[in-house]
Amino acid sequence: MAEELQVVPARRGRAVRLAKGQAIQIINTHGSQVVDSWAFNAQDPGEFMSMEHSRGAMLRVNPQLGDTLRSNRRRPMLTLVEDNSGGIHDTLIAACDRYRYEQLGHVGHHDSCTDNLAHALASLGVTGAETPSPLNLFMNIPVGADGSVSFQPPVSTPGSHVRLKAEMDLIVVFSACPQDLVPVNGADCMPRDAHYTID
Amino acid sequence: MAEELQVVPARRGRAVRLAKGQAIQIINTHGSQVVDSWAFNAQDPGEFMSMEHSRGAMLRVNPQLGDTLRSNRRRPMLTLVEDNSGGIHDTLIAACDRYRYEQLGHVGHHDSCTDNLAHALASLGVTGAETPSPLNLFMNIPVGADGSVSFQPPVSTPGSHVRLKAEMDLIVVFSACPQDLVPVNGADCMPRDAHYTID
């Protein structure tokens, strides 16, 4: 039973409930959009998807097809069951926040993935105690042989997607990253809509 | 003004206050001991050293001499001002916890860096809201060209050290990792004391 196409508007976040066994397909509609992603135990938001716990279990810095992201209690949360985006995602970099934009020289309000997470959770009546390090879908942060990292445009193509299967009842949150000062959302620094379907 | 040598006993944690401008030297007394490390704003433990924010600022997965670790508000917390340990430290892997030992087949209580952090903070009357991803001093987690990670024994030698300078008033916490089921604390899987001095 495929739901209709839903939007994650450019610069905004969305929270959705996902029952165990359901899957969510996140579509990089324009190909260039990073989608910061989080998951929380639907019964207890103190249990959340943790990149630092997931890396140790996956034995990889970035999830590949078949890999399972784990919680801060080391339990399976989401499994990557489809990926035709090029397989480049990031687990290393924090969500953008107002401090990041201040450091980049922005003055005044700027949307951020950190605020989007809080607002999206609030839309479901949930308060997150913290901002876990996100799974940055489609984000291209290559790690060099010397341990260096760099911020590069996505390699994903328009309409490509990943599909994540819920391993427990979850609240998942997606933010179409509003970063427009460095080219993580494409060389033109233009945040765009992403879309999702649940089945 | 060098303080006397203090111990972080094998399998245990210690919390110390560090004023801005002070430095702490962490000595890998036996060469093989991983020391999980955290830092908190002394006035507000809701601001803490964040590996995911630090990696984006350092543009490296592991700190090198001169690199500054940053907080979840992206402010400088600790700078690596000396390192004769071989320069191999980890920012990728979560602190061990009871879930980790359960998954490794251990039955009953096992000390963990996560519990050591909570106990060490409590010794100063502080309650941490969460367990930030630690800076794992001396921990050897190589990242392959394909993004793979593996758990390897430290390369540090007995008596080698790192020296970290406080960029704000801090509470720093160290845990001599009690992991004795995988060889992150040396091939013989034997947790040992580490030491520190403050100046």
Side-chain angles (χ1 to χ4, degrees):
Chain A
M1 185 188 71
E3 277 195 10
E4 63 185 294
L5 200 64
Q6 304 284 340
V7 66
V8 184
R11 303 173 185 273
R12 291 287 184 268
R14 288 290 183 268
V16 295
R17 292 185 183 274
L18 214 58
K20 179 178 177 175
Q22 282 189 306
I24 189 161
Q25 181 168 277
I26 304 96
I27 303 160
N28 202 344
T29 313
H30 299 278
S32 54
Q33 181 60 45
V34 166
V35 180
D36 283 38
S37 306
W38 293 268
F40 299 83
N41 177 334
Q43 278 74 51
D44 175 7
E47 182 173 14
F48 50 80
M49 184 167 69
S50 164
M51 295 304 104
E52 57 265 31
H53 292 81
S54 295
R55 285 187 292 262
M58 301 187 303
L59 296 177
R60 302 188 53 80
V61 293
N62 298 324
Q64 300 292 296
L65 198 64
D67 279 341
T68 297
L69 287 304
R70 289 180 179 260
S71 77
N72 56 334
R73 295 176 201 159
R74 301 185 189 263
R75 298 198 301 164
M77 293 203 113
L78 285 169
T79 298
L80 183 58
V81 293
E82 290 180 22
D83 185 355
N84 65 11
S85 73
I88 302 296
H89 311 289
D90 170 67
T91 72
L92 300 175
I93 301 298
C96 63
D97 48 34
R98 67 183 181 88
Y99 311 105
R100 171 73 164 146
Y101 292 106
E102 286 169 10
Q103 288 185 347
L104 289 170
H106 182 81
V107 176
H109 174 79
H110 196 293
D111 296 317
S112 73
C113 288
T114 296
D115 287 350
N116 286 347
L117 169 63
H119 296 153
L121 285 175
S123 76
L124 297 185
V126 175
T127 302
E130 56 183 295
T131 302
S133 196
L135 170 62
N136 297 309
L137 292 171
F138 315 117
M139 191 172 184
N140 183 9
I141 306 288
V143 181
D146 60 351
S148 62
V149 300
S150 60
F151 289 70
Q152 300 294 332
V155 302
S156 38
T157 50
S160 63
H161 74 272
V162 299
R163 194 159 173 269
L164 298 164
K165 183 184 158 208
E167 304 291 353
M168 66 169 72
D169 291 350
L170 293 173
I171 294 169
V172 295
V173 178
F174 301 104
S175 169
C177 177
Q179 178 59 265
D180 51 9
L181 301 175
V182 298
V184 293
N185 292 312
D188 64 355
C189 293
M190 177 60 72
R192 294 183 165 86
D193 295 348
H195 290 81
Y196 65 92
T197 59
I198 299 172
D199 61 75
Chain B
M1 184 187 73
E3 279 195 9
E4 62 185 295
L5 200 65
Q6 304 283 340
V7 66
V8 184
R11 304 174 184 272
R12 292 286 185 270
R14 287 290 182 270
V16 295
R17 292 185 183 275
L18 215 58
K20 179 177 177 174
Q22 282 190 304
I24 189 161
Q25 182 167 278
I26 303 96
I27 304 159
N28 201 345
T29 313
H30 298 279
S32 54
Q33 182 60 44
V34 166
V35 180
D36 284 38
S37 306
W38 294 268
F40 299 83
N41 178 334
Q43 277 75 51
D44 174 7
E47 181 172 15
F48 51 80
M49 183 167 70
S50 165
M51 295 304 104
E52 57 264 31
H53 292 81
S54 295
R55 284 187 292 262
M58 301 187 303
L59 297 177
R60 301 189 52 80
V61 294
N62 298 324
Q64 300 292 298
L65 198 64
D67 280 340
T68 297
L69 286 304
R70 288 180 179 260
S71 77
N72 56 334
R73 294 176 202 160
R74 300 184 188 263
R75 299 200 300 164
M77 293 202 113
L78 285 169
T79 299
L80 184 58
V81 292
E82 289 180 22
D83 185 356
N84 65 11
S85 72
I88 302 296
H89 311 288
D90 170 68
T91 73
L92 301 175
I93 302 298
C96 63
D97 49 34
R98 66 183 182 89
Y99 312 105
R100 172 72 165 147
Y101 293 106
E102 285 169 9
Q103 288 185 347
L104 288 169
H106 183 81
V107 176
H109 174 78
H110 196 293
D111 297 318
S112 74
C113 288
T114 296
D115 287 351
N116 286 347
L117 169 63
H119 296 153
L121 286 175
S123 76
L124 297 185
V126 175
T127 302
E130 56 184 296
T131 303
S133 197
L135 170 62
N136 297 308
L137 292 172
F138 315 116
M139 191 173 183
N140 184 10
I141 306 288
V143 181
D146 60 352
S148 63
V149 299
S150 61
F151 290 71
Q152 301 294 332
V155 302
S156 38
T157 50
S160 62
H161 74 270
V162 299
R163 194 160 172 269
L164 298 164
K165 184 184 158 208
E167 304 291 354
M168 66 170 73
D169 291 350
L170 294 174
I171 294 169
V172 295
V173 178
F174 301 104
S175 169
C177 177
Q179 178 58 265
D180 52 8
L181 302 174
V182 298
V184 293
N185 292 311
D188 64 355
C189 293
M190 177 60 72
R192 293 182 166 87
D193 295 349
H195 290 81
Y196 65 91
T197 60
I198 299 172
D199 61 75

PDB file of all heavy atoms in Angstrom, chain B residues 102-116:
ATOM      1  N   GLU B 102      26.714  -6.695  26.596  1.00  0.00           N
ATOM      2  CA  GLU B 102      25.690  -7.730  26.402  1.00  0.00           C
ATOM      3  C   GLU B 102      25.814  -8.328  24.995  1.00  0.00           C
ATOM      4  O   GLU B 102      25.746  -9.548  24.824  1.00  0.00           O
ATOM      5  CB  GLU B 102      24.289  -7.128  26.574  1.00  0.00           C
ATOM      6  CG  GLU B 102      23.924  -6.845  28.024  1.00  0.00           C
ATOM      7  CD  GLU B 102      22.657  -6.000  28.152  1.00  0.00           C
ATOM      8  OE1 GLU B 102      21.962  -5.771  27.132  1.00  0.00           O
ATOM      9  OE2 GLU B 102      22.373  -5.545  29.283  1.00  0.00           O
ATOM     10  N   GLN B 103      26.008  -7.480  23.988  1.00  0.00           N
ATOM     11  CA  GLN B 103      26.108  -7.973  22.616  1.00  0.00           C
ATOM     12  C   GLN B 103      27.359  -8.822  22.408  1.00  0.00           C
ATOM     13  O   GLN B 103      27.373  -9.702  21.544  1.00  0.00           O
ATOM     14  CB  GLN B 103      26.098  -6.809  21.628  1.00  0.00           C
ATOM     15  CG  GLN B 103      24.733  -6.152  21.518  1.00  0.00           C
ATOM     16  CD  GLN B 103      24.674  -5.078  20.448  1.00  0.00           C
ATOM     17  OE1 GLN B 103      25.693  -4.641  19.937  1.00  0.00           O
ATOM     18  NE2 GLN B 103      23.471  -4.645  20.125  1.00  0.00           N
ATOM     19  N   LEU B 104      28.401  -8.535  23.207  1.00  0.00           N
ATOM     20  CA  LEU B 104      29.631  -9.331  23.107  1.00  0.00           C
ATOM     21  C   LEU B 104      29.540 -10.618  23.922  1.00  0.00           C
ATOM     22  O   LEU B 104      30.505 -11.376  24.009  1.00  0.00           O
ATOM     23  CB  LEU B 104      30.834  -8.498  23.555  1.00  0.00           C
ATOM     24  CG  LEU B 104      31.254  -7.376  22.581  1.00  0.00           C
ATOM     25  CD1 LEU B 104      32.266  -6.438  23.233  1.00  0.00           C
ATOM     26  CD2 LEU B 104      31.815  -7.946  21.283  1.00  0.00           C
ATOM     27  N   GLY B 105      28.370 -10.849  24.556  1.00  0.00           N
ATOM     28  CA  GLY B 105      28.147 -12.112  25.242  1.00  0.00           C
ATOM     29  C   GLY B 105      28.409 -12.086  26.732  1.00  0.00           C
ATOM     30  O   GLY B 105      28.283 -13.119  27.403  1.00  0.00           O
ATOM     31  N   HIS B 106      28.772 -10.899  27.252  1.00  0.00           N
ATOM     32  CA  HIS B 106      29.040 -10.826  28.687  1.00  0.00           C
ATOM     33  C   HIS B 106      27.731 -10.910  29.466  1.00  0.00           C
ATOM     34  O   HIS B 106      26.730 -10.302  29.098  1.00  0.00           O
ATOM     35  CB  HIS B 106      29.762  -9.517  29.019  1.00  0.00           C
ATOM     36  CG  HIS B 106      30.127  -9.409  30.469  1.00  0.00           C
ATOM     37  ND1 HIS B 106      31.245 -10.015  30.994  1.00  0.00           N
ATOM     38  CD2 HIS B 106      29.510  -8.800  31.508  1.00  0.00           C
ATOM     39  CE1 HIS B 106      31.303  -9.765  32.288  1.00  0.00           C
ATOM     40  NE2 HIS B 106      30.259  -9.021  32.622  1.00  0.00           N
ATOM     41  N   VAL B 107      27.751 -11.659  30.561  1.00  0.00           N
ATOM     42  CA  VAL B 107      26.587 -11.794  31.432  1.00  0.00           C
ATOM     43  C   VAL B 107      26.885 -11.119  32.763  1.00  0.00           C
ATOM     44  O   VAL B 107      27.973 -11.305  33.326  1.00  0.00           O
ATOM     45  CB  VAL B 107      26.249 -13.290  31.651  1.00  0.00           C
ATOM     46  CG1 VAL B 107      25.083 -13.445  32.634  1.00  0.00           C
ATOM     47  CG2 VAL B 107      25.909 -13.953  30.314  1.00  0.00           C
ATOM     48  N   GLY B 108      25.955 -10.323  33.251  1.00  0.00           N
ATOM     49  CA  GLY B 108      26.137  -9.634  34.535  1.00  0.00           C
ATOM     50  C   GLY B 108      26.776  -8.274  34.346  1.00  0.00           C
ATOM     51  O   GLY B 108      26.951  -7.790  33.223  1.00  0.00           O
ATOM     52  N   HIS B 109      27.145  -7.644  35.480  1.00  0.00           N
ATOM     53  CA  HIS B 109      27.702  -6.291  35.418  1.00  0.00           C
ATOM     54  C   HIS B 109      29.047  -6.270  34.696  1.00  0.00           C
ATOM     55  O   HIS B 109      29.865  -7.173  34.849  1.00  0.00           O
ATOM     56  CB  HIS B 109      27.886  -5.738  36.832  1.00  0.00           C
ATOM     57  CG  HIS B 109      28.587  -4.410  36.840  1.00  0.00           C
ATOM     58  ND1 HIS B 109      27.942  -3.238  36.535  1.00  0.00           N
ATOM     59  CD2 HIS B 109      29.890  -4.071  37.049  1.00  0.00           C
ATOM     60  CE1 HIS B 109      28.809  -2.237  36.589  1.00  0.00           C
ATOM     61  NE2 HIS B 109      29.993  -2.716  36.894  1.00  0.00           N
ATOM     62  N   HIS B 110      29.245  -5.219  33.926  1.00  0.00           N
ATOM     63  CA  HIS B 110      30.566  -4.938  33.360  1.00  0.00           C
ATOM     64  C   HIS B 110      30.752  -3.433  33.436  1.00  0.00           C
ATOM     65  O   HIS B 110      29.850  -2.676  33.070  1.00  0.00           O
ATOM     66  CB  HIS B 110      30.652  -5.417  31.907  1.00  0.00           C
ATOM     67  CG  HIS B 110      32.055  -5.511  31.373  1.00  0.00           C
ATOM     68  ND1 HIS B 110      32.850  -4.407  31.166  1.00  0.00           N
ATOM     69  CD2 HIS B 110      32.801  -6.582  31.027  1.00  0.00           C
ATOM     70  CE1 HIS B 110      34.026  -4.798  30.697  1.00  0.00           C
ATOM     71  NE2 HIS B 110      34.033  -6.117  30.612  1.00  0.00           N
ATOM     72  N   ASP B 111      31.885  -2.983  33.932  1.00  0.00           N
ATOM     73  CA  ASP B 111      32.169  -1.551  33.898  1.00  0.00           C
ATOM     74  C   ASP B 111      32.092  -1.055  32.460  1.00  0.00           C
ATOM     75  O   ASP B 111      32.357  -1.806  31.524  1.00  0.00           O
ATOM     76  CB  ASP B 111      33.567  -1.275  34.454  1.00  0.00           C
ATOM     77  CG  ASP B 111      33.691  -1.667  35.922  1.00  0.00           C
ATOM     78  OD1 ASP B 111      32.753  -1.385  36.693  1.00  0.00           O
ATOM     79  OD2 ASP B 111      34.729  -2.258  36.286  1.00  0.00           O
ATOM     80  N   SER B 112      31.757   0.216  32.296  1.00  0.00           N
ATOM     81  CA  SER B 112      31.701   0.794  30.950  1.00  0.00           C
ATOM     82  C   SER B 112      32.099   2.260  31.012  1.00  0.00           C
ATOM     83  O   SER B 112      31.960   2.923  32.050  1.00  0.00           O
ATOM     84  CB  SER B 112      30.294   0.674  30.365  1.00  0.00           C
ATOM     85  OG  SER B 112      29.413   1.588  30.974  1.00  0.00           O
ATOM     86  N   CYS B 113      32.589   2.768  29.898  1.00  0.00           N
ATOM     87  CA  CYS B 113      32.942   4.195  29.835  1.00  0.00           C
ATOM     88  C   CYS B 113      31.706   5.076  30.023  1.00  0.00           C
ATOM     89  O   CYS B 113      31.799   6.162  30.597  1.00  0.00           O
ATOM     90  CB  CYS B 113      33.637   4.494  28.509  1.00  0.00           C
ATOM     91  SG  CYS B 113      35.322   3.816  28.427  1.00  0.00           S
ATOM     92  N   THR B 114      30.557   4.616  29.537  1.00  0.00           N
ATOM     93  CA  THR B 114      29.320   5.397  29.712  1.00  0.00           C
ATOM     94  C   THR B 114      28.991   5.548  31.193  1.00  0.00           C
ATOM     95  O   THR B 114      28.697   6.659  31.664  1.00  0.00           O
ATOM     96  CB  THR B 114      28.167   4.721  28.942  1.00  0.00           C
ATOM     97  OG1 THR B 114      28.488   4.755  27.545  1.00  0.00           O
ATOM     98  CG2 THR B 114      26.853   5.439  29.179  1.00  0.00           C
ATOM     99  N   ASP B 115      29.038   4.457  31.944  1.00  0.00           N
ATOM    100  CA  ASP B 115      28.789   4.548  33.391  1.00  0.00           C
ATOM    101  C   ASP B 115      29.899   5.349  34.078  1.00  0.00           C
ATOM    102  O   ASP B 115      29.623   6.121  35.004  1.00  0.00           O
ATOM    103  CB  ASP B 115      28.708   3.148  34.010  1.00  0.00           C
ATOM    104  CG  ASP B 115      27.410   2.431  33.656  1.00  0.00           C
ATOM    105  OD1 ASP B 115      26.503   3.069  33.091  1.00  0.00           O
ATOM    106  OD2 ASP B 115      27.330   1.217  33.930  1.00  0.00           O
ATOM    107  N   ASN B 116      31.135   5.168  33.636  1.00  0.00           N
ATOM    108  CA  ASN B 116      32.248   5.919  34.242  1.00  0.00           C
ATOM    109  C   ASN B 116      32.057   7.427  34.083  1.00  0.00           C
ATOM    110  O   ASN B 116      32.367   8.198  34.997  1.00  0.00           O
ATOM    111  CB  ASN B 116      33.577   5.500  33.609  1.00  0.00           C
ATOM    112  CG  ASN B 116      34.044   4.124  34.071  1.00  0.00           C
ATOM    113  OD1 ASN B 116      33.520   3.564  35.037  1.00  0.00           O
ATOM    114  ND2 ASN B 116      35.026   3.578  33.373  1.00  0.00           N
TER     115      ASN B 116
END
